[in-house]
Amino acid sequence: MNVGDAFQIALPPASGSPSVAFTMSKKQQYRFCVGPWNFSQGQDPYGPTVRREESFDWKLAQLKTLGFDAMMFHDDDAVPDIDSKSSKQVLQEAKALKKRLDNEGIVAEMVAPRLWFAPQTIDGGYTSNDPKLRRYAIDRSRQSIDIANELGTNILVLWLAREGTYLRESKSGTRSTELLVEAFDAMLKHDKKIRLAIEPKPNEPMDHAYLPTTGHALAIAQLTKDSKRVGCVIESAHAILAGLDPADEIDFAMSFGKLWSLHLNDQNGLKFDQDKPFGSANLRVAFNQIRALERNGYGKKGEFVCFDVHPFRTTSEKQWLSHLSNSRRTFEHLLAKAKSYPEKEAAQLIAARNYQDLDQLVLEHLMGVL
Ligand code: XLS
Ligand code: MG
């Protein structure tokens, strides 16, 4: 691998607090991003937190040392206890946050309304069966757009966590599609510049979620009043949970010019959403995602690579940041592998329909024996 050409990688010290993890010398196509929730404390449905709580300021301060340039925000990451505050106060706090971000040299990549926590959204937000509660979801989304404006981003991410059912008979799929379109139209109308990036996921917390794949996200865009401003963000684990190859999802979204953000991580089979470090479960699937990004020029229009990863519950406070620096390292290593992929040899094997040897070529390239 020719790492010297493009970047240097230094092992983070055992403290898990890397001082200089990466320096990229050439003009950088890829810029990295993470959310405050990615410094999670290890709670799961079966047990409490196992790592200390760190302040937002501490999390923010780690970004630059890890080589990240942006942070993604839920509305209540940006403004804690958001529902107890007036719109004026919410926007004042968002403005103050923007100053803190500027001081750290970090940009806000997106804002996402956290519609899955509030008591009003137990039965979903936009697709709730109660019109008053649907109004809450739309109002809160409009407020998130105002926060996004204050923070200087025009991307509103919509992970439709509770838009779905536990019970097929409890909601009509046709009506839910109409309600989603109404909600998206209300957001598009609220702000002429905002872009809605739908983050598809097929299940969890719901049994079946609406808009489970990239295809669904891009199809529903066509029903809105401004389809150009409705696109998607792809998360590797979510695609895998839908039984799909994230690389194909990336290629598909980018064929429409609609991949506006990316949540790289990994997932070992069809179970709960694991948010493992990028490449942790399947290096080849990770490699193919990087090839898809390269092939389509992801990042050239300013899109960020976000790692939506969590530390394993077993992670001690010493290794608190390793899932982030490791995901980034794996990304850089696989990028080098994508750049040095023996394209000519591969093309010959493809022309001869010798996929048997193509398979081995990929494996040996990844194993570093070529
Ligand atoms: C959950 C999602 C969430 C979104 C942002 O599965 O990945 O973290 O990325 O709301
Ligand atoms: Mg995500």
Side-chain angles (χ1 to χ4, degrees), residues 37 72 157 159 199 233-235 238 263 265 273 275 308:
W37 65 90
M72 43 185 177
V157 165
W159 171 45
E199 183 176 344
V233 39
I234 290 170
E235 173 163 322
H238 297 181
H263 290 182
N265 57 17
D273 186 4
D275 293 332
D308 200 351

Side-chain angles (χ1 to χ4, degrees), residues 178 180-190 192 196 219-230 258:
E178 268 170 27
L180 288 170
V181 172
E182 271 174 32
F184 299 160
D185 279 342
M187 294 175 227
L188 293 167
K189 190 172 168 207
H190 182 69
K192 292 286 172 236
L196 310 181
I220 203 167
Q222 302 308 311
L223 295 179
T224 65
K225 294 219 165 79
D226 193 357
S227 63
K228 284 190 307 304
R229 290 193 287 135
V230 183
K258 292 272 190 139

Side-chain angles (χ1 to χ4, degrees), residues 27-285:
K27 194 175 172 329
Q28 208 174 312
Q29 174 178 344
Y30 296 106
R31 292 180 306 154
F32 300 93
C33 170
V34 70
W37 65 90
N38 299 117
F39 299 82
S40 51
Q41 295 167 258
Q43 65 273 37
D44 67 17
Y46 306 97
T49 57
V50 290
R51 288 178 293 275
R52 70 180 181 267
E53 188 171 357
E54 278 295 357
S55 68
F56 175 77
D57 283 345
W58 180 85
K59 293 173 189 170
L60 184 59
Q62 306 313 308
L63 261 63
K64 278 283 166 194
T65 51
L66 287 162
F68 288 65
D69 291 318
M71 198 174 226
M72 43 185 177
F73 290 95
H74 294 121
D75 54 354
D76 58 357
D77 294 321
V79 181
D81 303 320
I82 198 161
D83 271 339
S84 68
K85 294 176 180 165
S86 69
S87 313
K88 197 172 157 211
Q89 197 177 350
V90 166
L91 294 186
Q92 270 169 0
E93 288 190 30
K95 204 179 274 240
L97 171 61
K98 173 74 165 72
K99 279 210 179 110
R100 280 152 85 192
L101 294 177
D102 288 349
N103 288 342
E104 292 286 336
I106 294 290
V107 300
E109 194 251 356
M110 63 83 162
V111 176
R114 197 198 295 270
L115 287 178
W116 51 96
F117 247 71
Q120 292 91 329
T121 58
I122 288 173
D123 189 29
Y126 315 127
T127 63
S128 166
N129 279 323
D130 181 333
K132 274 195 310 299
L133 302 182
R134 293 202 294 271
R135 174 63 42 202
Y136 166 85
I138 292 180
D139 286 347
R140 188 156 165 185
S141 307
R142 287 194 189 109
Q143 178 176 254
S144 293
I145 294 173
D146 298 340
I147 296 173
N149 272 322
E150 291 295 344
L151 296 186
T153 172
N154 68 355
I155 298 183
L156 188 81
V157 165
L158 298 173
W159 171 45
L160 302 175
R162 297 198 188 276
E163 313 301 348
T165 60
Y166 299 109
L167 192 69
R168 182 53 54 231
E169 297 82 3
S170 69
K171 287 181 184 176
S172 145
T174 311
R175 177 74 183 129
S176 293
T177 305
E178 268 170 27
L179 289 173
L180 288 170
V181 172
E182 271 174 32
F184 299 160
D185 279 342
M187 294 175 227
L188 293 167
K189 190 172 168 207
H190 182 69
D191 185 297
K192 292 286 172 236
K193 296 231 167 73
I194 200 72
R195 292 185 293 158
L196 310 181
I198 298 168
E199 183 176 344
K201 181 176 176 182
N203 63 287
E204 201 206 22
M206 307 314 289
D207 181 6
H208 290 285
Y210 295 129
L211 312 190
T213 67
T214 303
H216 289 81
L218 300 192
I220 203 167
Q222 302 308 311
L223 295 179
T224 65
K225 294 219 165 79
D226 193 357
S227 63
K228 284 190 307 304
R229 290 193 287 135
V230 183
C232 68
V233 39
I234 290 170
E235 173 163 322
S236 327
H238 297 181
I240 294 165
L241 282 170
L244 300 170
D245 184 332
D248 281 347
E249 292 283 88
I250 291 169
D251 278 334
F252 186 73
M254 291 203 74
S255 303
F256 289 77
K258 292 272 190 139
L259 188 64
W260 298 335
S261 181
L262 182 68
H263 290 182
L264 293 183
N265 57 17
D266 214 351
Q267 172 71 27
N268 189 11
L270 304 183
K271 46 187 82 154
F272 60 94
D273 186 4
Q274 294 182 300
D275 293 332
K276 288 185 137 185
F278 181 53
S280 162
N282 192 328
L283 268 185
R284 187 177 188 167
V285 169

Side-chain angles (χ1 to χ4, degrees), residues 317-330:
E317 288 176 358
K318 270 191 177 168
Q319 275 78 45
W320 187 241
L321 302 172
S322 299
H323 63 302
L324 299 173
S325 52
N326 289 346
S327 292
R328 166 103 201 258
R329 285 164 63 107
T330 303

